[in-house]
Amino acid sequence: MTNFNGTLLDGNAFLSIKNRGYAYGDAIFETIKSSSGKILFWEDHYFRLMASMRIMRMEIPMTFTMEFLESEIQKTLEANGLQKQSARVKLSVHRNEGGLYTPQTNQVSFVIATDALAESFYTVSEGLYQVDLFKDYYVSPSLLSTLKTNNKALNVVGSIYAKENDLENCLLLNTNKQVVEALNGNIFLVKGNTIKTPPLTDGCLKGVMRTQLIEIIKALPEYELVEDSISPFELQKADEMFITNVMVGIQPVSKYRKKTFANDIAKSLLQKLNVKIRLN
């Protein structure tokens, strides 16, 4: 069952081919994890969604309160029998039909879709996880690049490149040739007691898990958190590299070209992340 503007529809329901999210990528979305009916990091997701709608010049309905959208997510989870297990929730907001590049209205609609997940809490993958740079196309270091919109052509082509080259992921560069993120999440480098991640001004996604990890690291006196540009030359000098998103939590990178990485700090941070989730 899919939730369209508060109405639950079965799998035979379709969006119009004139839908602006389909026709022009005029849509934004949040990928959210729920665990036994609990929506993880919901406040961060909600405020990022509101900020993204403002940047996209969408009209925010008065009904779009945190409580309203949370209740609609819960309603969708319940309709799909997912309130007692882990699930992926995709909350999409698109501008309503009308117009070409210039819309006829800034009013919006929302769609909520859910899928079951196997794991309720985050675990560390110990297997081979190899990455390399994707240099065919570059990320623009602009505010639009920090949003989760339907314009993901670079990520799609990069994912095909990774598959063709037997890679688990690729790292994206911006037009200044700085490493900004992975295909599906933010990146962190560990060197000694310094943990570094690119700043939003470099064009990386304003990730919800990125925000959570930054808060956790800043509270640990043994580490220094640095938000600064990352040169490709730094990758092979790092002790650890990991990728973050709300679906996997922390994904350690085991290999970049001829460089292999440890994952001790990634494991430690993941434990602290799971504790934070339980306490909340």
Side-chain angles (χ1 to χ4, degrees):
M1 301 293 288
T2 299
N3 186 328
F4 179 67
N5 281 342
T7 301
L8 293 168
L9 305 172
D10 64 24
N12 294 318
F14 296 97
L15 293 173
S16 164
I17 60 170
K18 295 182 180 180
N19 177 276
R20 292 188 62 84
Y22 169 77
Y24 302 108
D26 191 4
I28 55 178
F29 66 93
E30 291 290 324
T31 305
I32 305 163
K33 184 172 183 176
S34 71
S35 178
S36 299
K38 176 184 178 183
I39 304 172
L40 304 185
F41 319 121
W42 170 235
E43 184 173 303
D44 286 350
H45 282 291
Y46 175 78
F47 285 114
R48 183 173 69 171
L49 179 68
M50 294 300 105
S52 298
M53 290 179 69
R54 292 188 190 99
I55 293 167
M56 290 290 289
R57 299 181 182 273
M58 294 175 171
E59 184 177 315
I60 301 176
M62 293 294 291
T63 56
F64 267 36
T65 63
M66 188 183 300
E67 294 76 18
F68 168 75
L69 290 175
E70 181 177 12
S71 68
E72 291 299 321
I73 292 172
Q74 293 289 4
K75 182 167 76 176
T76 312
L77 288 169
E78 184 177 6
N80 289 287
L82 295 173
Q83 281 197 309
K84 294 183 179 180
Q85 66 182 93
S86 185
R88 178 200 304 266
V89 179
K90 186 173 183 180
L91 167 58
S92 302
V93 176
H94 58 263
R95 206 183 318 262
N96 289 342
E97 288 182 22
L100 300 175
Y101 286 154
T102 304
Q104 291 180 350
T105 178
N106 287 320
Q107 294 181 338
V108 298
S109 296
F110 70 87
V111 178
I112 302 172
T114 60
D115 294 291
L117 291 175
E119 298 289 340
S120 293
F121 288 97
Y122 296 117
T123 58
V124 170
S125 172
E126 297 281 5
L128 175 68
Y129 198 91
Q130 186 172 358
V131 305
D132 205 340
L133 298 175
F134 180 62
K135 297 185 288 186
D136 290 3
Y137 306 101
Y138 301 99
V139 175
S140 170
S142 69
L143 190 60
L144 284 179
S145 297
T146 69
L147 308 183
K148 295 196 75 169
T149 72
N150 277 22
N151 296 288
K152 291 297 181 183
L154 191 157
N155 303 71
V156 171
V157 175
S159 297
I160 295 170
Y161 173 88
K163 184 178 180 180
E164 290 174 344
N165 289 275
D166 296 321
L167 301 167
E168 277 65 48
N169 212 325
C170 281
L171 306 180
L172 302 179
L173 302 168
N174 65 15
T175 52
N176 298 322
K177 306 303 188 293
Q178 305 287 354
V179 181
V180 290
E181 60 190 359
L183 290 167
N184 64 342
N186 296 105
I187 67 163
F188 289 76
L189 293 185
V190 180
K191 180 66 175 177
N193 67 342
T194 300
I195 303 177
K196 188 175 184 181
T197 193
L200 297 179
T201 50
D202 276 2
C204 68
L205 178 72
K206 188 179 180 182
V208 166
M209 187 54 67
R210 175 185 184 273
T211 300
Q212 295 296 319
L213 262 292
I214 287 175
E215 289 178 2
I216 290 172
I217 295 166
K218 284 183 174 180
L220 299 173
E222 63 267 36
Y223 298 117
E224 177 189 12
L225 188 282
V226 175
E227 291 184 70
D228 201 3
S229 298
I230 293 177
S231 162
F233 300 107
E234 293 180 60
L235 300 179
Q236 297 196 44
K237 298 178 182 179
D239 302 321
E240 293 190 32
M241 182 195 308
F242 54 84
I243 298 166
T244 65
N245 64 51
V246 294
M247 288 297 110
V248 302
I250 299 174
Q251 171 60 62
V253 173
S254 61
K255 189 175 183 182
Y256 166 72
R257 297 184 178 175
K258 295 183 179 180
K259 171 73 176 185
T260 58
F261 300 99
N263 62 8
D264 298 330
I265 293 176
K267 286 181 178 179
S268 174
L269 291 174
L270 194 67
Q271 289 175 349
K272 291 176 172 57
L273 176 65
N274 280 326
V275 169
K276 182 177 182 180
I277 293 170
R278 290 186 177 97
L279 292 176
N280 287 338

